[in-house]
Amino acid sequence: MDKKEAKQILDKIVLQVFGVSNPLTLDQSVKKFAFDVRLPMKVKDTIDGSTTWAASTNPTKFIKMDNARNNGANDSEGLYATQPIKDLPDILSKWEHVNLTTSEFTLDSLNVAESDLTMNSENVFQSLNTTRSKNVLYSDGVFDSEFVFGSQRSGQVTFCIRADDSIRCANSFGVSRSADLTNCFMMHDCGDMQDSMFCSNMKGRQFCIANMQYTEDEYNRIKA
């Protein structure tokens, strides 16, 4: 996964959600829509000095997943030769040698780049805490989802941009603390809504704008 592939996925998401070709570059889209999303941080691998990506810089010492697998003696699963230990300072010095936080952690995942804590997922770029998902870009805490950009702590969402703390949403933009939304824009604390915009604390409605009911024709005219 690289920026070219990420841009192709983003263009598909934008076309599906907004019905138009994406007019922004990848960097412009990130700056506009993922500015407040917690994303992987660039750090250095302590073993070889190469660039890697981690969820947090607090540990200060890192090791890439591939290097971690080859840590210690060959075929030893990270086990080093036993050495005598004299006292607590001796323990701490030996601990310092191996106390490396694994970066770019992946488990049963494919085509993942510049991400950390990715599990059972595919096509993930610049994201954290991705689980059982595909085509996830610049997001944090996405699970059981597909075609997601700039989203946080959300699951079972498909073709969504900026879905925060939401579940079971599709073809939507700017939805937060909501569930079961389809074709919605800028919605907060809503449930079971379709084809609606700029609504809060509503449920079970269609063709609403700013918590007001419209006919389908009126809604489509205003939406356009």
Side-chain angles (χ1 to χ4, degrees):
M1 173 69 82
D2 56 22
K3 283 194 170 184
K4 182 178 179 181
E5 290 179 90
K7 179 62 163 58
Q8 292 172 345
I9 293 172
L10 175 59
D11 289 346
K12 289 182 181 180
I13 297 172
V14 170
L15 183 62
Q16 179 71 22
V17 174
F18 295 113
V20 298
S21 297
N22 183 14
L24 304 177
T25 66
L26 181 63
D27 290 340
Q28 288 172 332
S29 299
V30 173
K31 185 176 181 180
K32 192 174 186 68
F33 298 121
F35 61 92
D36 59 348
V37 178
R38 188 173 73 103
L39 299 177
M41 299 180 182
K42 186 185 293 187
V43 296
K44 290 292 183 182
D45 186 303
T46 301
I47 300 299
D48 60 19
S50 61
T51 296
T52 184
W53 302 84
S56 170
T57 59
N58 289 338
T60 72
K61 295 175 65 178
F62 301 89
I63 183 171
K64 285 181 181 177
M65 188 76 172
D66 288 342
N67 285 340
R69 290 193 177 108
N70 296 320
N71 202 18
N74 291 334
D75 302 320
S76 67
E77 298 180 342
L79 188 66
Y80 285 81
T82 302
Q83 301 176 25
I85 293 177
K86 298 177 294 182
D87 49 27
L88 182 56
D90 199 17
I91 293 176
L92 294 179
S93 68
K94 290 176 171 56
W95 168 235
E96 180 70 15
H97 179 66
V98 299
N99 185 17
L100 307 174
T101 298
T102 304
S103 58
E104 295 187 66
F105 177 86
T106 61
L107 180 65
D108 298 330
S109 299
L110 297 172
N111 203 23
V112 178
E114 298 185 14
S115 300
D116 200 7
L117 305 173
T118 308
M119 291 163 280
N120 304 101
S121 297
E122 184 177 350
N123 300 338
V124 178
F125 189 76
Q126 266 283 306
S127 296
L128 295 173
N129 302 299
T130 306
T131 306
R132 296 182 303 275
S133 298
K134 292 183 179 180
N135 304 313
V136 176
L137 313 173
Y138 297 91
S139 297
D140 177 22
V142 170
F143 59 94
D144 300 318
S145 300
E146 290 189 64
F147 291 100
V148 181
F149 178 83
S151 298
Q152 306 175 85
R153 303 172 302 276
S154 295
Q156 299 176 45
V157 297
T158 305
F159 284 105
C160 284
I161 301 173
R162 288 201 64 83
D164 294 345
D165 304 297
S166 297
I167 193 166
R168 297 186 302 276
C169 295
N171 303 342
S172 296
F173 166 75
V175 298
S176 62
R177 298 175 62 169
S178 297
D180 302 302
L181 305 186
T182 304
N183 303 327
C184 289
F185 303 86
M186 306 304 289
M187 307 281 283
H188 179 65
D189 276 317
C190 290
D192 190 23
M193 300 275 293
Q194 299 180 51
D195 304 289
S196 296
M197 302 183 291
F198 305 103
C199 293
S200 299
N201 302 295
M202 290 189 68
K203 65 178 181 178
R205 292 284 182 171
Q206 188 175 15
F207 306 125
C208 289
I209 302 175
N211 290 43
M212 296 180 289
Q213 182 69 63
Y214 292 87
T215 66
E216 182 175 0
D217 289 342
E218 290 173 326
Y219 176 84
N220 288 329
R221 177 184 62 81
I222 296 170
K223 177 184 175 182

